[in-house]
Amino acid sequence: SSRVDVGLRTLGDTAELIVADDGPGIPEADRERVFGRFTRLDDARARDTGGSGLGLAIVRDTVTAHHGSTRIEDNRPGARLVVRLPAMGQDCEER
């Protein structure tokens, strides 16, 4: 991909982080599978350039631990990762 957009907004008592790119996207059938540890959709990529397949698993585990959710959507072209978390003061300890 050549472009990555990052956005953050609040929707009532929820904070929403969106990371969108213009790459090849993620097929709908694989959108849950990519959150599994060591999952790599493109086996042709070398590990040193293609990652270990842990990034999205770590994101999901971290977000879930903070009472949030993650999902992947179409970006046409590309993919959008949508992360929703309770906004500060909503099921969060203020530090």
Side-chain angles (χ1 to χ4, degrees), residues 26 85 92-94:
I26 298 174
L85 290 162
C92 293
E93 284 184 36
E94 294 190 35

Side-chain angles (χ1 to χ4, degrees), residues 46-67:
R47 181 164 297 242
D48 59 344
T49 60
S52 63
L54 285 172
L56 290 175
I58 292 169
V59 168
R60 176 160 278 175
D61 286 351
T62 302
V63 169
T64 299
H66 292 280
H67 311 286

